[in-house]
């Protein structure tokens, strides 16, 4: 069995204390802040969807009922149904990270993920390959 | 089709971030991000970029005619008939095409239209009516491939004409047009005084300077993992005056007999290239990045790696079908911490 010296304990406690404070600061400033999805219809913002409340639901924008979007519990959103032929919007998959987007060009709908409040340093400016 | 809005309010001296998007050009989404002092300044850059991209889009279009304009379609329609007087922008693109044709041993070939048209027609018909989707006939592809020697294209720089002496030859600049146009409008925007910008034409990203906020950090662009499309697996790449492009096969394809057939055709097999799920290229010039992404897509790994390693300041990332990822020797230097 190894005995701690008093100074070790103090050092350990201080490290723990510093860690706790850092963790708190990190949580306060950098905790994953699930974003919002902005939905554009022919370049006009028509709906903003909060992705942080854990809801799971399907919906369409009133401007085009033939396109269905789904919000998932994990804070992501995806095109799941569309009357477009190429289905590129659906193939784009789920979006959840700031900077991601998907577009249904034939129907003029763009979904993009934006930060909930301010952009933080870790946010990417845009995402490609989706 | 242009949308401009401010995303964040900053301190007085600091430039503000603006974003704009439009849908109509190059059959894809164009996004522009910029930091400027005023919204008007940003809107002026966006207008310049939009107007020029629109012109490139029309000049490089092989499917449509535009009033008062000779474009790629005009050249194709006049194959075997007569030289076509064209804008300097078409001459410049074809000179660039020749350069990349030689660099890539013909893996990127602007005169590959005869073969690509057959695939395009089958893909369109198959997307329109999936139950009746068909594959091109190999004999037909082989016959078309005899009319794809780019060196036969007659470019007359003095008289500004282009002529395809082979009546069966067709130009198709789909593999480079977006990247090339992105590069050109990026340079124009720089010339117009844009010092902090990011232009993406369907994933062909060209950066100008660094972010214009107080951080002055490099731009950060995410690459989506093509296998885990859950929106979370993103590799972050830092860009300063550089270009990034991803060529992937997971969005644009059609299905025949349960198999997916994508749109990047390997000149060796005349069929969609099967080596990778996606290729990402990082280099200064967006046009070159676009060309390299297509050519590396059509090459076995060792050959693609050798090509990338001999190009100065050029990096690549390969995603294989089994999820394995390989990178060129300095790609990791650009991954954000």
């Amino acid at each position: 069995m190894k005995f701690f010296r008093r100074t070790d304990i103090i050092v350990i406690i201080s490290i723990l204390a510093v860690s706790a404070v850092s963790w708190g600061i990190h949580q306060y400033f950098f905790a994953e802040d699930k974003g919002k999805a902005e939905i554009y219809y022919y370049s006009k913002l028509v709906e903003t969807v909060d992705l942080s409340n854990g809801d799971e639901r399907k919906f369409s924008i009133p401007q085009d009922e033939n396109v269905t979007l789904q919000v998932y519990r994990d804070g992501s959103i995806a095109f799941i149904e569309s009357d477009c032929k190429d289905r590129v919007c659906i193939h784009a998959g789920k979006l959840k990270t700031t900077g991601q987007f998907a577009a249904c060009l034939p129907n003029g709908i763009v979904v993009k993920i934006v930060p909930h409040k301010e952009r933080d340093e870790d946010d990417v400016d845009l995402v490609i390959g989706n | 089709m242009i949308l401009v809005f401010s995303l964040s309010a900053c301190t007085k001296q600091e430039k503000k971030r603006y974003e704009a998007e439009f849908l109509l050009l190059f059959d894809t989404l164009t996004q522009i991000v910029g930091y400027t002092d005023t919204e008007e300044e940003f809107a002026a850059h966006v207008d310049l970029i939009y107007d020029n991209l629109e012109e490139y889009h029309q000049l490089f279009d092989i499917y449509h005619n535009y009033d008062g304009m000779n474009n790629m379609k005009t050249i194709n329609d006049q194959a075997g008939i007569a030289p076509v007087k064209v804008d300097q922008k078409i001459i410049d693109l074809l000179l660039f095409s020749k350069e990349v044709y030689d660099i890539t041993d013909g893996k990127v070939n602007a005169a590959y239209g005869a073969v690509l048209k057959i695939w395009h027609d089958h893909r369109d018909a198959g997307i329109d009516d999936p139950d009746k989707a068909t594959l091109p006939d190999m004999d037909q592809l082989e016959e078309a491939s005899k009319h794809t020697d780019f060196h036969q294209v007659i470019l007359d720089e003095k008289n500004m004409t282009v002529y395809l002496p082979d009546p069966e030859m067709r130009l198709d600049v789909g593999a480079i047009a977006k990247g090339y146009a992105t590069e050109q409008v990026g340079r124009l925007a720089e010339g117009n005084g844009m010092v902090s910008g990011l232009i993406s034409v369907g994933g062909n990203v060209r950066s100008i300077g660094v972010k214009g906020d107080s951080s002055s950090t490099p731009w950060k662009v995410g690459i989506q993992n093509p296998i885990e499309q859950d929106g979370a697996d993103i590799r972050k790449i830092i860009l300063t005056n550089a270009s990034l492009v991803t060529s992937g096969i997971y969005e644009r394809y059609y299905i025949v007999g349960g198999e997916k057939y994508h749109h990047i055709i390997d000149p060796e097999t005349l069929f969609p290239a099967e080596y990778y799920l996606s290729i990402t290229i990082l280099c200064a010039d967006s046009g070159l990045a676009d060309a390299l992404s297509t050519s590396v897509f059509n090459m076995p790994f060792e050959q693609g790696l050798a090509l990338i390693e001999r190009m100065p300041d050029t990096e690549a990332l390969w995603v294989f079908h089994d999820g394995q990822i390989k990178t060129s020797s300095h790609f990791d230097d650009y991954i954000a911490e």
Side-chain angles (χ1 to χ4, degrees):
Chain A
M1 193 170 190
K2 188 175 175 186
F3 290 92
F4 286 109
R5 282 180 294 142
R6 189 181 165 79
T7 47
D8 284 337
I9 291 167
I10 292 167
V11 168
I12 288 166
I13 289 171
S14 355
I15 287 172
L16 284 175
V18 169
S19 309
V21 170
S22 317
W23 184 81
I25 291 172
H26 184 270
Q27 284 302 100
Y28 184 78
F29 289 105
F30 301 109
E32 191 190 1
D33 182 16
K34 284 175 185 164
K36 294 181 293 189
E38 290 183 341
I39 301 168
Y40 294 85
Y41 181 71
Y42 288 103
S43 296
K44 188 168 179 284
L45 179 63
V46 292
E47 197 158 332
T48 301
V49 180
D50 185 354
L51 298 175
S52 67
N53 55 16
D55 276 356
E56 188 140 330
R57 67 184 177 101
K58 282 184 197 176
F59 68 100
S60 295
I61 54 169
Q63 291 80 357
D64 191 338
E65 305 273 334
N66 296 318
V67 175
T68 309
L69 293 142
Q70 163 105 42
V71 175
Y72 297 89
R73 198 163 293 132
D74 66 356
S76 60
I77 184 169
F79 282 94
I80 57 163
E81 286 168 30
S82 170
D83 62 349
C84 65
K85 285 178 175 161
D86 60 20
R87 323 275 286 168
V88 167
C89 53
I90 295 170
H91 300 163
K94 291 182 178 179
L95 318 171
K96 74 187 291 193
T97 303
T98 293
Q100 269 191 305
F101 68 92
C104 184
L105 295 182
N107 286 307
I109 300 175
V110 176
V111 176
K112 75 175 194 180
I113 310 298
V114 298
H116 214 254
K117 295 173 197 135
E118 293 280 304
R119 296 180 60 81
D120 84 41
E121 248 179 61
D122 285 340
D123 286 338
V124 292
D125 294 289
L126 54 88
V127 176
I128 59 170
N130 58 337
Chain B
M1 255 329 117
I2 295 179
L3 126 96
V4 178
F5 56 96
S6 167
L7 275 187
S8 58
C10 305
T11 54
K12 270 181 193 167
Q13 301 83 356
E14 210 170 272
K15 290 179 190 301
K16 287 183 190 155
R17 180 189 177 96
Y18 297 95
E19 299 186 6
E21 276 137 32
F22 30 89
L23 303 173
L24 290 179
L25 306 178
F26 289 103
D27 192 24
T28 192
L29 180 72
T30 296
Q31 296 169 290
I32 302 169
V33 184
Y35 287 84
T36 51
D37 291 322
T38 64
E39 186 172 323
E40 291 71 29
E41 188 187 341
F42 180 71
H45 293 313
V46 170
D47 282 347
L48 179 82
I49 292 168
Y50 182 90
D51 290 345
N52 282 280
L53 270 182
E54 185 179 35
E55 190 182 3
Y56 279 112
H57 164 87
Q58 294 178 354
L59 286 170
F60 299 166
D61 194 336
I62 59 169
Y63 301 109
H64 305 95
N65 296 306
Y66 299 92
D67 282 347
M69 174 186 275
N70 285 342
N71 66 2
M72 288 290 174
K73 182 174 185 300
T74 324
I75 299 169
N76 285 343
D77 291 345
Q78 292 295 308
I81 301 171
V84 175
K85 186 107 177 156
V86 293
D87 191 287
Q88 183 65 38
K89 291 184 171 78
I90 287 187
I91 302 275
D92 289 343
L93 175 75
L94 291 174
L95 289 170
F96 177 72
S97 301
K98 185 176 180 306
E99 217 175 287
V100 295
Y101 181 85
D102 293 337
I103 290 172
T104 65
D105 290 332
K107 292 280 187 183
V108 174
N109 181 359
Y112 216 63
V115 172
L116 297 179
K117 182 179 187 318
I118 296 172
W119 275 104
H120 180 267
D121 292 347
H122 280 261
R123 189 166 51 245
D124 265 8
I127 287 171
D128 276 348
D129 189 352
D131 293 337
K132 291 185 183 154
T134 52
L135 290 177
D137 179 61
M138 197 55 177
D139 291 343
Q140 202 190 354
L141 290 172
E142 277 172 355
E143 176 52 38
S145 73
K146 293 175 187 161
H147 307 281
T148 58
D149 177 5
F150 186 80
H151 289 299
Q152 285 185 23
V153 177
I154 299 174
L155 266 181
D156 183 340
E157 288 184 64
K158 192 163 154 259
N159 293 309
M160 289 175 66
T161 61
V162 182
Y163 180 47
L164 310 180
D166 176 348
E168 302 299 320
M169 182 177 277
R170 295 290 179 271
L171 297 178
D172 182 331
V173 290
I176 54 172
K178 281 194 299 228
Y180 180 84
T182 307
E183 178 63 30
Q184 303 313 310
V185 297
R187 291 179 191 177
L188 278 170
E190 281 174 323
N192 192 44
M194 193 175 202
V195 291
S196 170
L198 202 57
I199 304 167
S200 169
V201 181
N204 286 268
V205 180
R206 208 257 195 199
S207 65
I208 296 171
V210 294
K211 284 194 214 185
D213 57 8
S214 59
S215 72
S216 293
T217 50
W219 293 99
K220 211 183 280 179
V221 176
I223 310 172
Q224 163 88 55
N225 179 337
I227 294 178
E228 297 298 331
Q229 283 194 291
D230 60 359
D233 191 357
I234 305 279
R235 212 166 264 228
K236 297 174 181 175
I237 309 297
I238 54 172
L239 291 183
T240 306
N241 291 322
S243 295
L244 188 75
V245 66
T246 292
S247 278
I249 59 172
Y250 34 89
E251 271 191 355
R252 287 173 197 268
Y253 56 79
Y254 78 119
I255 296 173
V256 186
E259 294 278 322
K260 290 179 184 174
Y261 292 87
H262 64 81
H263 65 291
I264 305 174
I265 305 302
D266 183 351
E268 296 287 321
T269 63
L270 306 177
F271 260 63
E274 287 302 331
Y275 299 109
Y276 319 104
L277 276 180
S278 79
I279 297 290
T280 298
I281 303 286
L282 176 70
C283 68
D285 184 301
S286 171
L288 187 60
D290 203 7
L292 288 173
S293 70
T294 306
S295 57
V296 171
F297 206 96
N298 282 330
M299 287 178 188
F301 176 70
E302 294 304 330
Q303 192 185 347
L305 181 65
L307 170 63
I308 295 300
E309 299 289 0
R310 72 172 176 262
M311 305 284 300
D313 301 322
T314 302
E315 302 298 333
L317 177 144
W318 290 255
V319 182
F320 293 76
H321 287 272
D322 62 1
Q324 193 188 359
I325 290 174
K326 290 187 180 178
T327 53
S328 56
S329 50
H330 295 289
F331 190 91
D332 288 353
D333 297 353
Y334 299 91
I335 291 180
E337 297 290 340

